Coordinates of all heavy atoms in Angstrom, one line a residue:
M1 N -0.3 9.3 -25.3 CA -0.8 8.0 -25.2 C -2.1 7.8 -24.6 O -2.5 8.6 -23.7 CB 0.2 7.2 -24.4 CG 1.4 6.6 -25.3 SD 0.7 5.6 -26.6 CE 2.2 5.5 -27.6
S2 N -2.9 6.9 -25.0 CA -4.2 6.7 -24.4 C -4.6 5.3 -24.4 O -3.9 4.4 -24.9 CB -5.2 7.5 -25.2 OG -5.4 7.0 -26.5
Q3 N -5.8 5.0 -23.9 CA -6.3 3.7 -23.9 C -6.5 3.1 -25.3 O -6.4 1.9 -25.5 CB -7.7 3.7 -23.2 CG -7.6 3.7 -21.7 CD -9.0 3.4 -21.1 OE1 -9.4 2.2 -21.1 NE2 -9.7 4.4 -20.7
Q4 N -6.7 4.0 -26.2 CA -6.8 3.6 -27.6 C -5.6 2.8 -28.1 O -5.7 1.9 -28.8 CB -7.0 4.9 -28.5 CG -7.4 4.6 -29.9 CD -8.8 3.9 -30.0 OE1 -9.7 4.1 -29.1 NE2 -9.0 3.0 -30.9
A5 N -4.4 3.2 -27.6 CA -3.2 2.5 -28.0 C -3.2 1.1 -27.5 O -2.8 0.2 -28.2 CB -2.0 3.3 -27.5
I6 N -3.7 0.9 -26.3 CA -3.8 -0.5 -25.8 C -4.8 -1.3 -26.6 O -4.5 -2.4 -27.0 CB -4.2 -0.5 -24.3 CG1 -3.4 0.5 -23.5 CG2 -4.2 -1.9 -23.7 CD1 -4.0 0.7 -22.1
K7 N -6.0 -0.7 -26.9 CA -7.0 -1.4 -27.6 C -6.5 -1.8 -29.0 O -6.7 -3.0 -29.4 CB -8.2 -0.5 -27.8 CG -9.1 -0.4 -26.6 CD -10.3 0.5 -26.8 CE -11.0 0.8 -25.6 NZ -12.0 1.9 -25.7
E8 N -5.8 -0.9 -29.6 CA -5.3 -1.2 -31.0 C -4.2 -2.4 -30.9 O -4.2 -3.2 -31.7 CB -4.7 0.0 -31.6 CG -5.7 0.9 -32.2 CD -5.2 2.2 -32.8 OE1 -4.0 2.2 -33.0 OE2 -6.0 3.1 -33.0
A9 N -3.4 -2.3 -29.9 CA -2.3 -3.3 -29.8 C -3.0 -4.7 -29.5 O -2.5 -5.7 -30.1 CB -1.4 -3.0 -28.6
I10 N -4.0 -4.7 -28.8 CA -4.7 -6.0 -28.5 C -5.5 -6.4 -29.8 O -5.4 -7.6 -30.2 CB -5.7 -5.9 -27.3 CG1 -4.8 -5.8 -26.0 CG2 -6.6 -7.0 -27.2 CD1 -5.6 -5.5 -24.8
N11 N -6.2 -5.5 -30.4 CA -6.9 -5.8 -31.6 C -6.0 -6.3 -32.7 O -6.3 -7.2 -33.5 CB -7.7 -4.6 -32.1 CG -8.9 -4.3 -31.3 OD1 -9.4 -5.2 -30.5 ND2 -9.4 -3.1 -31.4
N12 N -4.8 -5.8 -32.8 CA -3.8 -6.2 -33.8 C -3.0 -7.3 -33.4 O -2.0 -7.7 -34.1 CB -2.9 -5.0 -34.2 CG -3.8 -3.8 -34.9 OD1 -4.8 -4.1 -35.5 ND2 -3.3 -2.6 -34.7
K13 N -3.3 -7.9 -32.2 CA -2.6 -9.1 -31.7 C -1.1 -8.8 -31.5 O -0.3 -9.7 -31.8 CB -2.9 -10.3 -32.6 CG -4.4 -10.6 -32.7 CD -4.5 -12.0 -33.4 CE -6.0 -12.2 -33.8 NZ -7.0 -11.9 -32.8
K14 N -0.8 -7.6 -31.1 CA 0.7 -7.3 -30.9 C 1.2 -7.6 -29.6 O 2.4 -7.6 -29.3 CB 0.9 -5.8 -31.2 CG 0.8 -5.5 -32.7 CD 1.3 -4.1 -33.0 CE 1.4 -3.9 -34.5 NZ 1.5 -2.5 -34.9
L15 N 0.3 -7.9 -28.6 CA 0.7 -8.3 -27.3 C 0.6 -9.8 -27.1 O -0.5 -10.3 -27.3 CB -0.1 -7.6 -26.2 CG -0.1 -6.0 -26.3 CD1 -1.0 -5.4 -25.3 CD2 1.3 -5.5 -26.2
I16 N 1.7 -10.4 -26.9 CA 1.7 -11.9 -26.8 C 1.9 -12.3 -25.4 O 2.8 -11.9 -24.6 CB 2.9 -12.4 -27.7 CG1 2.8 -11.9 -29.1 CG2 2.9 -14.0 -27.6 CD1 1.5 -12.3 -29.8
C17 N 1.0 -13.3 -24.9 CA 1.1 -13.8 -23.6 C 2.4 -14.6 -23.5 O 2.7 -15.5 -24.3 CB -0.1 -14.7 -23.4 SG 0.1 -15.7 -21.9
P18 N 3.2 -14.3 -22.4 CA 4.5 -15.0 -22.3 C 4.3 -16.5 -21.8 O 5.2 -17.3 -21.9 CB 5.2 -14.2 -21.2 CG 4.1 -13.5 -20.5 CD 3.0 -13.3 -21.4
K19 N 3.1 -16.8 -21.4 CA 2.9 -18.1 -20.9 C 2.4 -19.1 -22.0 O 3.0 -20.2 -22.2 CB 1.8 -18.1 -19.8 CG 1.8 -19.3 -18.9 CD 0.9 -19.0 -17.7 CE 0.6 -20.3 -16.9 NZ -0.4 -20.1 -15.9
C20 N 1.4 -18.7 -22.7 CA 0.8 -19.6 -23.7 C 1.2 -19.2 -25.2 O 0.9 -19.9 -26.1 CB -0.7 -19.8 -23.6 SG -1.6 -18.3 -24.0
K21 N 1.9 -18.0 -25.3 CA 2.3 -17.5 -26.6 C 1.2 -17.2 -27.6 O 1.4 -17.2 -28.8 CB 3.3 -18.5 -27.3 CG 4.4 -19.0 -26.4 CD 5.4 -17.8 -26.0 CE 6.5 -18.3 -25.1 NZ 7.2 -17.2 -24.5
K22 N 0.0 -17.0 -27.0 CA -1.1 -16.5 -27.9 C -1.4 -15.1 -27.6 O -0.9 -14.5 -26.6 CB -2.4 -17.3 -27.5 CG -2.3 -18.8 -28.0 CD -3.5 -19.5 -27.6 CE -3.4 -21.0 -27.9 NZ -4.4 -21.8 -27.2
P23 N -2.0 -14.4 -28.5 CA -2.3 -13.0 -28.3 C -3.1 -12.7 -27.1 O -4.1 -13.4 -26.8 CB -3.1 -12.6 -29.6 CG -2.8 -13.6 -30.6 CD -2.5 -14.9 -29.8
I24 N -2.7 -11.7 -26.3 CA -3.5 -11.3 -25.1 C -4.8 -10.7 -25.6 O -4.9 -9.9 -26.5 CB -2.6 -10.3 -24.3 CG1 -1.4 -11.0 -23.7 CG2 -3.5 -9.6 -23.3 CD1 -0.3 -10.1 -23.2
Q25 N -5.9 -11.1 -24.9 CA -7.2 -10.8 -25.3 C -7.8 -9.5 -24.7 O -8.6 -8.8 -25.3 CB -8.2 -11.9 -24.9 CG -7.8 -13.3 -25.5 CD -8.1 -13.4 -26.9 OE1 -8.9 -12.6 -27.5 NE2 -7.4 -14.3 -27.6
K26 N -7.4 -9.1 -23.5 CA -8.0 -7.9 -23.0 C -7.1 -7.3 -21.9 O -6.1 -7.8 -21.5 CB -9.4 -8.3 -22.4 CG -9.3 -9.3 -21.3 CD -10.7 -9.5 -20.7 CE -10.7 -10.4 -19.5 NZ -12.0 -10.4 -18.8
Y27 N -7.6 -6.2 -21.4 CA -6.9 -5.5 -20.3 C -7.9 -5.0 -19.3 O -9.1 -4.9 -19.6 CB -6.1 -4.3 -20.8 CG -6.9 -3.2 -21.3 CD1 -7.2 -2.1 -20.4 CD2 -7.4 -3.1 -22.6 CE1 -7.9 -1.0 -20.8 CE2 -8.1 -2.0 -23.0 CZ -8.4 -1.0 -22.1 OH -9.2 0.1 -22.5
E28 N -7.4 -4.8 -18.1 CA -8.3 -4.3 -17.1 C -7.6 -3.1 -16.4 O -6.4 -3.1 -16.3 CB -8.6 -5.4 -16.0 CG -9.5 -6.4 -16.5 CD -9.6 -7.6 -15.5 OE1 -8.9 -7.6 -14.5 OE2 -10.4 -8.5 -15.7
K29 N -8.4 -2.2 -15.9 CA -7.9 -1.1 -15.1 C -6.9 -0.3 -15.8 O -5.8 -0.7 -16.3 CB -7.3 -1.6 -13.8 CG -8.3 -2.0 -12.8 CD -7.6 -2.6 -11.6 CE -8.6 -3.4 -10.7 NZ -8.0 -4.2 -9.7
Y30 N -7.2 0.9 -15.9 CA -6.3 1.9 -16.6 C -6.0 3.1 -15.7 O -6.9 3.6 -15.1 CB -7.1 2.4 -17.9 CG -6.5 3.6 -18.6 CD1 -5.5 3.4 -19.5 CD2 -6.9 4.9 -18.2 CE1 -5.0 4.5 -20.2 CE2 -6.3 6.0 -18.8 CZ -5.4 5.8 -19.8 OH -4.8 6.8 -20.5
A31 N -4.8 3.4 -15.7 CA -4.4 4.6 -14.8 C -3.3 5.3 -15.5 O -2.3 4.7 -15.9 CB -4.0 4.1 -13.4
E32 N -3.4 6.6 -15.6 CA -2.3 7.4 -16.0 C -1.2 7.4 -15.0 O -1.5 7.4 -13.8 CB -2.8 8.9 -16.3 CG -3.9 9.0 -17.2 CD -3.4 9.4 -18.6 OE1 -2.2 9.6 -18.8 OE2 -4.2 9.4 -19.5
T33 N 0.0 7.4 -15.4 CA 1.1 7.5 -14.5 C 1.4 9.0 -14.3 O 1.7 9.7 -15.2 CB 2.4 6.9 -15.1 OG1 2.0 5.5 -15.4 CG2 3.5 6.9 -14.1
I34 N 1.2 9.4 -13.1 CA 1.4 10.8 -12.8 C 2.8 11.0 -12.2 O 3.1 10.4 -11.1 CB 0.4 11.4 -11.8 CG1 -1.0 11.3 -12.5 CG2 0.7 12.8 -11.4 CD1 -2.2 11.6 -11.6
D35 N 3.7 11.7 -12.8 CA 5.1 11.8 -12.4 C 5.3 13.0 -11.6 O 6.2 13.0 -10.8 CB 6.0 11.8 -13.7 CG 5.9 10.5 -14.4 OD1 6.3 9.5 -13.8 OD2 5.4 10.4 -15.5
A36 N 4.6 14.0 -11.8 CA 4.8 15.2 -11.0 C 3.5 16.0 -10.9 O 2.8 16.2 -11.8 CB 5.9 16.1 -11.7
V37 N 3.3 16.5 -9.7 CA 2.1 17.3 -9.5 C 2.6 18.6 -8.8 O 3.2 18.5 -7.7 CB 1.1 16.6 -8.7 CG1 -0.1 17.6 -8.4 CG2 0.5 15.4 -9.4
R38 N 2.4 19.7 -9.4 CA 2.7 20.9 -8.7 C 1.5 21.7 -8.4 O 0.6 21.9 -9.2 CB 3.6 21.8 -9.6 CG 5.0 21.2 -9.8 CD 5.9 22.1 -10.7 NE 5.5 21.9 -12.1 CZ 5.9 21.0 -12.9 NH1 6.7 20.1 -12.5 NH2 5.5 21.0 -14.2
D39 N 1.3 22.0 -7.1 CA 0.1 22.6 -6.7 C 0.3 23.9 -5.9 O 1.1 23.9 -5.0 CB -0.6 21.6 -5.8 CG -2.1 21.8 -5.7 OD1 -2.6 22.8 -6.2 OD2 -2.8 21.0 -5.0
G40 N -0.3 24.9 -6.4 CA -0.1 26.2 -5.7 C -0.8 27.3 -6.4 O -1.0 27.2 -7.6
F41 N -1.2 28.3 -5.7 CA -1.9 29.4 -6.2 C -3.0 29.0 -7.2 O -3.2 29.6 -8.2 CB -0.9 30.4 -6.9 CG 0.1 30.9 -6.1 CD1 1.4 30.6 -6.2 CD2 -0.2 31.8 -5.0 CE1 2.4 31.1 -5.4 CE2 0.7 32.4 -4.2 CZ 2.1 32.0 -4.3
N42 N -3.8 28.0 -6.7 CA -4.9 27.5 -7.5 C -4.5 27.0 -8.9 O -5.4 26.8 -9.8 CB -6.0 28.6 -7.7 CG -6.6 29.0 -6.4 OD1 -6.8 28.2 -5.5 ND2 -6.8 30.3 -6.2
V43 N -3.3 26.7 -9.1 CA -2.8 26.2 -10.3 C -2.3 24.8 -10.1 O -1.5 24.6 -9.2 CB -1.7 27.0 -11.0 CG1 -1.2 26.3 -12.3 CG2 -2.2 28.4 -11.3
Q44 N -2.9 23.8 -10.8 CA -2.4 22.5 -10.6 C -1.9 21.9 -11.9 O -2.6 22.0 -12.9 CB -3.5 21.6 -10.1 CG -3.0 20.2 -9.6 CD -4.1 19.3 -9.0 OE1 -5.0 19.0 -9.7 NE2 -3.9 19.0 -7.7
E45 N -0.7 21.5 -11.9 CA -0.1 21.0 -13.2 C 0.3 19.5 -13.0 O 0.9 19.1 -12.0 CB 1.2 21.8 -13.4 CG 1.5 21.9 -14.9 CD 2.7 22.8 -15.1 OE1 2.8 23.9 -14.4 OE2 3.6 22.4 -15.8
I46 N -0.1 18.8 -13.9 CA 0.2 17.3 -13.9 C 0.9 16.9 -15.1 O 0.5 17.1 -16.2 CB -1.1 16.5 -13.7 CG1 -1.8 16.9 -12.4 CG2 -0.8 15.0 -13.7 CD1 -3.2 16.3 -12.3
D47 N 2.1 16.3 -14.9 CA 2.8 15.8 -16.0 C 2.5 14.3 -16.1 O 2.8 13.5 -15.1 CB 4.3 16.0 -15.8 CG 4.7 17.4 -15.9 OD1 4.0 18.2 -16.5 OD2 5.7 17.8 -15.2
S48 N 2.0 13.9 -17.2 CA 1.7 12.5 -17.3 C 2.4 11.9 -18.5 O 2.3 12.3 -19.6 CB 0.2 12.3 -17.5 OG -0.2 11.0 -17.6
L49 N 3.2 10.8 -18.2 CA 4.0 10.3 -19.3 C 3.6 8.9 -19.8 O 3.8 8.5 -20.9 CB 5.5 10.2 -18.8 CG 6.2 11.5 -18.6 CD1 7.5 11.3 -18.1 CD2 6.2 12.3 -19.9
G50 N 2.9 8.2 -18.9 CA 2.6 6.8 -19.3 C 1.3 6.3 -18.7 O 0.6 7.1 -18.2
F51 N 1.1 5.0 -18.8 CA -0.1 4.5 -18.1 C 0.1 3.1 -17.7 O 1.0 2.4 -18.2 CB -1.3 4.6 -19.0 CG -1.2 4.1 -20.4 CD1 -1.2 2.8 -20.7 CD2 -0.9 5.0 -21.5 CE1 -1.1 2.3 -22.0 CE2 -0.8 4.6 -22.8 CZ -0.8 3.2 -23.0
R52 N -0.7 2.6 -16.8 CA -0.6 1.3 -16.3 C -1.9 0.5 -16.5 O -3.0 1.1 -16.4 CB -0.4 1.3 -14.8 CG 1.0 1.8 -14.4 CD 1.3 1.6 -12.9 NE 2.6 2.2 -12.6 CZ 2.7 3.2 -11.7 NH1 1.7 3.6 -11.1 NH2 3.9 3.6 -11.5
V53 N -1.7 -0.7 -16.8 CA -2.9 -1.6 -17.0 C -2.6 -3.0 -16.5 O -1.4 -3.3 -16.3 CB -3.3 -1.8 -18.5 CG1 -3.8 -0.5 -19.1 CG2 -2.1 -2.3 -19.3
T54 N -3.6 -3.7 -16.3 CA -3.4 -5.2 -16.0 C -3.8 -5.9 -17.3 O -4.9 -5.8 -17.8 CB -4.4 -5.6 -14.9 OG1 -4.1 -4.9 -13.7 CG2 -4.1 -7.1 -14.6
L55 N -2.8 -6.5 -17.9 CA -3.1 -7.3 -19.1 C -3.6 -8.6 -18.7 O -3.1 -9.3 -17.8 CB -1.8 -7.4 -19.9 CG -1.2 -6.1 -20.5 CD1 0.1 -6.4 -21.2 CD2 -2.2 -5.5 -21.5
V56 N -4.6 -9.1 -19.4 CA -5.2 -10.4 -19.1 C -5.2 -11.2 -20.4 O -5.8 -10.9 -21.4 CB -6.7 -10.2 -18.6 CG1 -7.3 -11.6 -18.2 CG2 -6.7 -9.3 -17.4
C57 N -4.6 -12.4 -20.3 CA -4.5 -13.3 -21.4 C -5.9 -13.7 -21.9 O -6.2 -13.5 -23.1 CB -3.6 -14.5 -21.1 SG -3.6 -15.7 -22.4
A58 N -6.6 -14.3 -21.0 CA -8.0 -14.7 -21.3 C -8.2 -15.8 -22.4 O -9.3 -16.0 -22.9 CB -8.9 -13.5 -21.6
N59 N -7.1 -16.4 -22.8 CA -7.2 -17.5 -23.8 C -7.6 -18.7 -23.0 O -7.3 -18.8 -21.8 CB -5.9 -17.7 -24.5 CG -5.7 -16.7 -25.6 OD1 -6.5 -16.7 -26.5 ND2 -4.6 -16.0 -25.6
E60 N -8.2 -19.7 -23.6 CA -8.7 -20.9 -23.0 C -7.6 -21.6 -22.3 O -6.5 -21.8 -22.9 CB -9.4 -21.8 -24.0 CG -10.7 -22.4 -23.4 CD -11.4 -23.3 -24.5 OE1 -11.6 -22.7 -25.6 OE2 -11.6 -24.4 -24.2
G61 N -7.8 -22.0 -21.0 CA -6.8 -22.7 -20.3 C -5.6 -21.9 -19.8 O -4.7 -22.5 -19.3
C62 N -5.6 -20.6 -20.0 CA -4.5 -19.8 -19.5 C -5.1 -18.7 -18.6 O -6.0 -18.0 -18.9 CB -3.8 -19.2 -20.7 SG -2.3 -18.2 -20.2
S63 N -4.5 -18.6 -17.4 CA -5.0 -17.6 -16.5 C -4.0 -16.5 -16.2 O -4.0 -15.8 -15.2 CB -5.3 -18.3 -15.2 OG -4.1 -19.0 -14.7
W64 N -3.1 -16.3 -17.2 CA -2.0 -15.3 -17.0 C -2.6 -13.9 -17.0 O -3.5 -13.6 -17.8 CB -1.0 -15.5 -18.2 CG 0.1 -14.5 -18.1 CD1 1.3 -14.7 -17.5 CD2 0.2 -13.2 -18.7 NE1 2.1 -13.5 -17.6 CE2 1.4 -12.6 -18.3 CE3 -0.7 -12.4 -19.5 CZ2 1.8 -11.3 -18.7 CZ3 -0.3 -11.1 -19.8 CH2 0.9 -10.6 -19.5
S65 N -2.1 -13.2 -16.1 CA -2.4 -11.7 -16.1 C -1.3 -11.0 -15.4 O -0.6 -11.6 -14.6 CB -3.7 -11.4 -15.5 OG -3.6 -11.5 -14.1
E66 N -1.0 -9.8 -15.8 CA 0.1 -9.1 -15.2 C -0.1 -7.6 -15.2 O -0.6 -7.0 -16.2 CB 1.4 -9.4 -15.9 CG 2.6 -8.9 -15.1 CD 3.9 -9.5 -15.6 OE1 4.2 -10.7 -15.2 OE2 4.7 -8.8 -16.3
R67 N 0.2 -7.0 -14.1 CA 0.1 -5.5 -14.1 C 1.4 -5.0 -14.7 O 2.5 -5.4 -14.4 CB 0.0 -5.1 -12.6 CG -0.5 -3.7 -12.5 CD -0.8 -3.4 -11.1 NE -1.3 -2.1 -11.0 CZ -1.5 -1.4 -9.8 NH1 -1.2 -2.1 -8.7 NH2 -2.0 -0.2 -9.8
T68 N 1.2 -4.1 -15.6 CA 2.4 -3.6 -16.3 C 2.3 -2.1 -16.7 O 1.2 -1.5 -16.5 CB 2.7 -4.5 -17.6 OG1 3.9 -4.1 -18.2 CG2 1.6 -4.3 -18.6
E69 N 3.3 -1.6 -17.2 CA 3.3 -0.2 -17.5 C 3.7 0.0 -19.0 O 4.6 -0.7 -19.5 CB 4.3 0.5 -16.6 CG 4.2 2.0 -16.6 CD 5.0 2.7 -15.5 OE1 5.0 2.0 -14.4 OE2 5.5 3.8 -15.7
Y70 N 3.1 0.9 -19.7 CA 3.4 1.1 -21.1 C 4.8 1.8 -21.2 O 5.1 2.7 -20.4 CB 2.3 2.0 -21.7 CG 2.4 2.1 -23.2 CD1 1.8 1.2 -24.0 CD2 3.2 3.1 -23.8 CE1 1.9 1.2 -25.4 CE2 3.3 3.2 -25.2 CZ 2.7 2.2 -25.9 OH 2.8 2.3 -27.3
P71 N 5.6 1.5 -22.2 CA 5.4 0.6 -23.2 C 5.6 -0.9 -22.8 O 6.4 -1.2 -21.9 CB 6.5 0.9 -24.2 CG 7.6 1.5 -23.4 CD 6.9 2.2 -22.3
F72 N 4.8 -1.7 -23.3 CA 4.8 -3.1 -22.9 C 5.9 -3.9 -23.5 O 6.4 -3.6 -24.5 CB 3.5 -3.8 -23.3 CG 2.3 -3.0 -22.9 CD1 1.3 -2.6 -23.8 CD2 2.0 -2.7 -21.6 CE1 0.2 -1.9 -23.4 CE2 0.9 -2.1 -21.2 CZ 0.0 -1.6 -22.1
E73 N 6.3 -4.9 -22.7 CA 7.5 -5.7 -23.1 C 7.0 -6.9 -23.9 O 7.8 -7.7 -24.4 CB 8.3 -6.2 -21.9 CG 7.5 -6.9 -20.9 CD 8.3 -7.1 -19.6 OE1 9.3 -7.9 -19.7 OE2 8.0 -6.5 -18.6
Y74 N 5.7 -7.1 -24.0 CA 5.1 -8.2 -24.7 C 4.8 -7.9 -26.2 O 3.7 -7.6 -26.5 CB 3.8 -8.7 -24.0 CG 4.0 -8.7 -22.5 CD1 3.4 -7.7 -21.7 CD2 4.7 -9.7 -21.9 CE1 3.6 -7.7 -20.4 CE2 4.9 -9.7 -20.5 CZ 4.3 -8.7 -19.8 OH 4.5 -8.6 -18.4
G75 N 5.9 -8.0 -26.9 CA 5.6 -7.7 -28.4 C 6.1 -8.8 -29.2 O 6.6 -9.8 -28.7
E76 N 6.1 -8.6 -30.5 CA 6.6 -9.6 -31.4 C 8.2 -9.5 -31.2 O 8.7 -8.5 -30.9 CB 6.2 -9.4 -32.8 CG 6.5 -8.1 -33.4 CD 5.4 -7.1 -33.2 OE1 5.4 -6.4 -32.1 OE2 4.6 -6.9 -34.1
E77 N 8.8 -10.6 -31.4 CA 10.3 -10.6 -31.2 C 11.0 -10.5 -32.5 O 10.5 -10.8 -33.5 CB 10.7 -11.9 -30.4 CG 9.9 -11.9 -29.2 CD 10.4 -12.9 -28.2 OE1 11.4 -13.6 -28.5 OE2 9.8 -13.0 -27.1
Ligands
ZN1 ZN1 -1.8 -17.0 -22.0

């Protein structure tokens, strides 16, 4: 998974704002979710399973935004 997946979901209007029911316009801040880090003997291993973003509605008159973790719960129903 990567930021590309978020961009595509937004471009394809697959993320729906729970407040105004319009497609979410953008996201801010991207961070991989690091679930495990093993460090020793100069070997560092990171298991990364997901990512976190702040979804921002950005539609006129709506100030909804929420920090969430992929997979998002804001989809078509
Ligand atoms: Zn909204």
